[in-house]
């Protein structure tokens, strides 16, 4: 089962910031939070990941709460091409498993 | 540096035939992961392989499915005697180090869409 909870869908106006929330209340102390997105019919695209501190790259910013139970992905100036399903993911720590557990994600629609 | 390459992009098989899906990881990546995605669903983990070894196959169906990642050549996901329920998109990802614990990201291919008729 997915270890994260995300709203199923969100809308955002083109040019505005898109803030996508994620709850991961059972995250372990050494688990990273990953964000990927999937544009229709394409392979998932890596966006960003973080452990404790806020992170920023050319695509997005990741804000992680101090207790690490939730995070927010920020697309600072959303464009139509950012329309996609966004997945917040943590790793399954059971045994030697190294797999990422994917939920249903948030379907982001960027509107003109 | 080419990304993760999967082929074929689309594969049609009749019930009972075999399907072979290939994945060439990014250069320098020795860890490969296979995922399956049904329409309107998220990705489901199938198997994690490191060169010549299966590390975790907990997501693989017990029958008809197998995977390998030989010393030379691409990783292969093999589905024998396909059934209509096998129709899905199959994605392969690769990483430099084992995924997750050390913050290593995985990069995905564009997937193979298998249709069983």
């Amino acid at each position: 089962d997915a270890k994260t909870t995300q709203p199923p869908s969100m809308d955002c106006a083109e040019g505005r910031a898109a803030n996508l929330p994620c709850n991961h209340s059972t995250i372990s102390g050494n688990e990273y939070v990953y964000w990927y997105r999937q544009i229709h019919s394409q392979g998932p695209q890596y966006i960003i990941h973080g452990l404790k501190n806020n992170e920023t790259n050319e695509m997005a910013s990741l804000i992680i709460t101090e207790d690490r139970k939730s995070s927010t992905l920020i697309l600072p100036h959303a464009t139509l091409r950012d329309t996609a399903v966004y997945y917040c993911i943590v790793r399954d720590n059971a045994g030697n498993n190294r797999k990422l557990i994917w939920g249903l994600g948030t379907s982001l629609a960027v509107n003109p | 540096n080419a990304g993760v390459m999967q082929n074929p992009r689309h594969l049609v098989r009749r019930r009972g035939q075999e399907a072979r899906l290939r994945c060439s990881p990014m250069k320098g990546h020795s860890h490969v992961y296979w995922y399956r995605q049904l329409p309107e669903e998220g990705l489901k983990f199938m198997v994690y392989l490191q060169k010549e070894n299966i590390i975790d196959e907990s997501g693989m169906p017990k029958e008809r499915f197998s995977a390998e990642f030989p010393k030379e050549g691409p990783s292969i996901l093999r589905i024998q005697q396909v059934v209509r329920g096998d129709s899905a998109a199959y994605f392969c990802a690769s990483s430099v180090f084992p995924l997750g614990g050390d913050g290593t990201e995985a990069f995905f291919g564009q997937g193979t869409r298998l249709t069983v008729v």
Side-chain angles (χ1 to χ4, degrees):
Chain A
D1 291 338
K3 298 173 68 174
T4 60
T5 305
Q6 298 176 254
S9 63
M10 292 183 65
D11 288 291
C12 177
E14 188 178 18
R16 298 282 189 157
N19 298 296
L20 293 92
C22 179
N23 288 322
H24 31 79
S25 58
T26 61
I27 194 170
S28 299
N30 61 347
E31 284 186 297
Y32 283 76
V33 179
Y34 291 81
W35 282 84
Y36 283 80
R37 72 180 182 184
Q38 189 175 24
I39 297 171
H40 183 61
S41 298
Q42 296 185 21
Q45 178 187 21
Y46 166 80
I47 301 173
I48 199 168
H49 71 280
L51 181 63
K52 294 179 183 178
N53 301 319
N54 298 338
E55 302 287 344
T56 296
N57 63 19
E58 65 278 4
M59 289 185 68
S61 295
L62 175 61
I63 308 298
I64 303 174
T65 58
E66 192 169 342
D67 62 8
R68 302 210 327 117
K69 293 185 176 182
S70 65
S71 60
T72 300
L73 179 75
I74 300 173
L75 308 178
H77 305 287
T79 70
L80 298 179
R81 286 182 290 183
D82 291 322
T83 293
V85 179
Y86 287 76
Y87 295 96
C88 167
I89 308 159
V90 298
R91 189 187 71 169
D92 184 342
N93 258 345
N96 291 322
N97 288 347
R98 294 277 187 171
K99 55 182 179 284
L100 296 178
I101 306 297
W102 297 65
L104 296 178
T106 295
S107 180
L108 175 67
V110 180
N111 304 309
Chain B
N1 187 9
V4 178
M5 304 300 292
Q6 289 187 250
N7 66 81
R9 291 293 307 277
H10 300 275
L11 182 62
V12 179
R13 284 287 178 266
R14 295 185 184 279
R15 281 180 296 171
Q17 291 184 319
E18 178 180 286
R20 280 186 177 237
L21 289 64
R22 296 175 187 78
C23 170
S24 296
M26 289 181 69
K27 186 176 181 180
H29 288 195
S30 60
H31 301 267
V32 167
Y33 312 81
W34 284 93
Y35 287 82
R36 176 165 63 177
Q37 186 176 34
L38 296 172
E40 308 303 324
E41 293 188 12
L43 277 71
K44 302 294 185 186
F45 169 81
M46 298 183 75
V47 61
Y48 161 39
L49 308 104
Q50 193 178 356
K51 279 289 187 180
E52 300 184 89
N53 292 305
I54 296 175
I55 307 300
D56 180 355
E57 56 181 348
S58 58
M60 288 275 274
K62 298 294 183 214
E63 299 177 348
R64 303 188 297 108
F65 285 72
S66 62
E68 63 177 9
F69 188 17
K71 186 177 181 180
E72 301 291 338
S75 175
I76 305 289
L77 179 66
R78 182 183 179 202
I79 311 172
Q80 296 177 291
Q81 299 176 325
V82 296
V83 301
R84 286 221 172 101
D86 297 332
S87 295
Y90 292 83
F91 291 98
C92 166
S94 73
S95 62
V96 174
F97 300 112
L99 188 64
D102 57 3
T104 300
E105 64 267 27
F107 296 91
F108 282 79
Q110 290 303 304
T112 293
R113 278 148 189 84
L114 172 66
T115 302
V116 179
V117 297

